[in-house]
Amino acid sequence: MVKLTNEMKEGLRVPGKGGSLVYLATSSADGKPNIAAMRYVDTYKDDKILISDMFLLKTKTNLKENPECIIAICHPLDSGRDWVFKGKAIDFEYGFPPDFDWYGVTTKEILDEWGDWHQKEPPDEVPPDVVYSVPAQRGVVVLHVEEIYSIEKGKVGEKLQ
Amino acid sequence: MTVKLTDRMKSWVKIGCHLNVASKSGVPFVTVARNVKSVSDDEVVFALSRDEYSVIESALSENPWVAFGVSRAGGIRACYQFKGKGTVNKEGDIYNLTVKLSELYCTKPGCYAGTRLDLKPAQECEEWEHGLWTDLPK
């Protein structure tokens, strides 16, 4: 059973609060991969990573047919945060039953806290030529982490947990 | 469609990339490619060390699709996703992963997210990009 360390939890925060930009990687059910960078990231309990569903397209489609998912540190890289988190994810969208459960967490507890992430943590540090013009959050992706491996130079693939 | 990377894309890709491959049944595997050996208009060659390659070896042997984005500051500044099929050749201790690109997407949050850049004529794509960004990696 995975337990995110305090160091990992500090890294898995929005960059404006000292966290790291991450890559969210998914695949269609028949094996076509997809990868996109994400700014809105947080952790919950000891084995959940949260990502805002703000402009997800293919990622969202993939998760609806295949929950296998990876979150990897993108930036800064080589700063001691050389981690890849692997597990199963779902997009808790608005409209899900409040008591819908995903590995021990419910729609209500996730959306109550992170359902308006733009308001909670405005993207003040994001450059104006990259930031979105209007927030459009439709849910929160929750990754139930089952495995953590390294992407440290020389140790890529080493299982950490 | 035909992919023609812009000069800006080629510059960013060279700083290294996060690669995502998947098994036939859809289990993803992510590795980091720190060394880019060459970049042409529609092909990128990553020089992977043994450990970098080992993560994706099994999936790649059964499914050639590779998706990648630029590492480090490229995750913010280079809002692209590249997709294509990969082949591997071993050269000494290095595994050269050649990805022949067939799809190119914009990942800028907002109205351009998911735009298929490979469907635009090359000149139009370049002008569109130039209207958004001109910065190169430092």
Side-chain angles (χ1 to χ4, degrees):
Chain A
M1 188 168 177
V2 160
K3 187 177 190 303
L4 299 172
T5 65
N6 288 336
E7 192 183 9
M8 290 171 181
K9 290 179 179 179
E10 287 167 13
L12 293 164
R13 299 281 294 110
V14 296
K17 291 189 175 176
S20 293
L21 190 75
V22 298
Y23 265 120
L24 177 58
T26 59
S27 169
S28 64
D30 61 357
K32 191 166 183 182
N34 195 83
I35 187 166
M38 302 287 152
R39 180 254 180 195
Y40 283 107
V41 59
D42 205 349
T43 60
Y44 185 53
K45 298 188 174 177
D46 284 332
D47 58 1
K48 304 288 187 291
I49 304 176
L50 316 180
I51 298 281
S52 169
D53 169 9
M54 205 169 278
F55 297 100
L56 303 183
L57 294 166
K58 193 59 66 65
T59 296
K60 193 183 189 81
T61 304
N62 286 347
L63 289 178
K64 281 180 182 293
E65 63 186 39
N66 176 20
E68 300 287 347
C69 180
I70 281 176
I71 290 172
I73 299 293
C74 168
H75 183 65
L77 194 62
D78 301 333
S79 61
R81 294 174 173 175
D82 313 285
W83 310 308
V84 170
F85 305 90
K86 190 169 185 174
K88 293 182 174 56
I90 196 167
D91 187 352
F92 277 108
E93 295 186 69
Y94 282 104
F96 271 33
D99 60 350
F100 177 83
D101 183 283
W102 183 252
Y103 292 96
V105 299
T106 64
T107 308
K108 180 172 171 36
E109 63 189 301
I110 295 299
L111 291 183
D112 279 357
E113 179 72 25
W114 290 275
D116 186 358
W117 217 326
H118 171 85
Q119 184 69 27
K120 180 181 170 66
E121 295 180 315
D124 299 328
E125 87 289 358
V126 181
D129 59 346
V130 175
V131 76
Y132 51 80
S133 52
V134 177
Q137 186 170 353
R138 298 168 297 182
V140 176
V141 172
V142 177
L143 172 67
H144 172 68
V145 182
E146 296 174 323
E147 185 181 321
I148 304 171
Y149 65 86
S150 174
I151 44 172
E152 182 180 350
K153 189 172 184 179
K155 298 180 179 176
V156 178
E158 284 189 16
K159 191 170 179 180
L160 301 175
Q161 287 190 40
Chain B
M1 296 299 289
T2 306
V3 170
K4 186 176 187 303
L5 297 177
T6 65
D7 288 343
R8 182 174 188 268
M9 292 171 189
K10 290 176 184 174
S11 295
W12 276 101
V13 163
K14 286 176 186 168
I15 74 170
C17 294
H18 278 55
L19 313 182
N20 183 24
V21 304
S23 67
K24 269 186 177 173
S25 59
V27 179
F29 297 86
V30 169
T31 194
V32 174
R34 291 180 167 81
N35 298 304
V36 178
K37 196 165 181 177
S38 71
V39 185
S40 67
D41 282 351
D42 66 347
E43 212 169 68
V44 181
V45 183
F46 300 102
L48 303 175
S49 59
R50 176 66 212 166
D51 58 312
E52 290 166 349
Y53 179 60
S54 65
V55 175
I56 60 172
E57 181 174 13
S58 174
L60 202 56
S61 69
E62 62 181 35
N63 177 15
W65 277 106
V66 180
F68 64 91
V70 181
S71 301
R72 303 185 175 86
I76 304 166
R77 299 302 318 163
C79 299
Y80 317 111
Q81 181 182 188
F82 309 86
K83 289 190 188 185
K85 292 187 176 179
T87 54
V88 177
N89 287 300
K90 193 166 185 286
E91 184 181 350
D93 295 333
I94 299 299
Y95 296 80
N96 293 313
L97 171 61
T98 302
V99 181
K100 179 80 169 174
L101 299 169
S102 55
E103 297 175 21
L104 177 58
Y105 297 85
C106 176
T107 57
K108 181 185 185 301
C111 62
Y112 294 126
T115 300
R116 279 284 294 267
L117 302 178
D118 56 290
L119 300 181
K120 293 178 183 286
Q123 181 67 23
E124 186 183 319
C125 179
E126 194 149 350
E127 289 170 0
W128 175 84
E129 179 195 52
H130 196 77
L132 289 174
W133 311 289
T134 56
D135 61 310
L136 301 174
K138 294 170 184 169

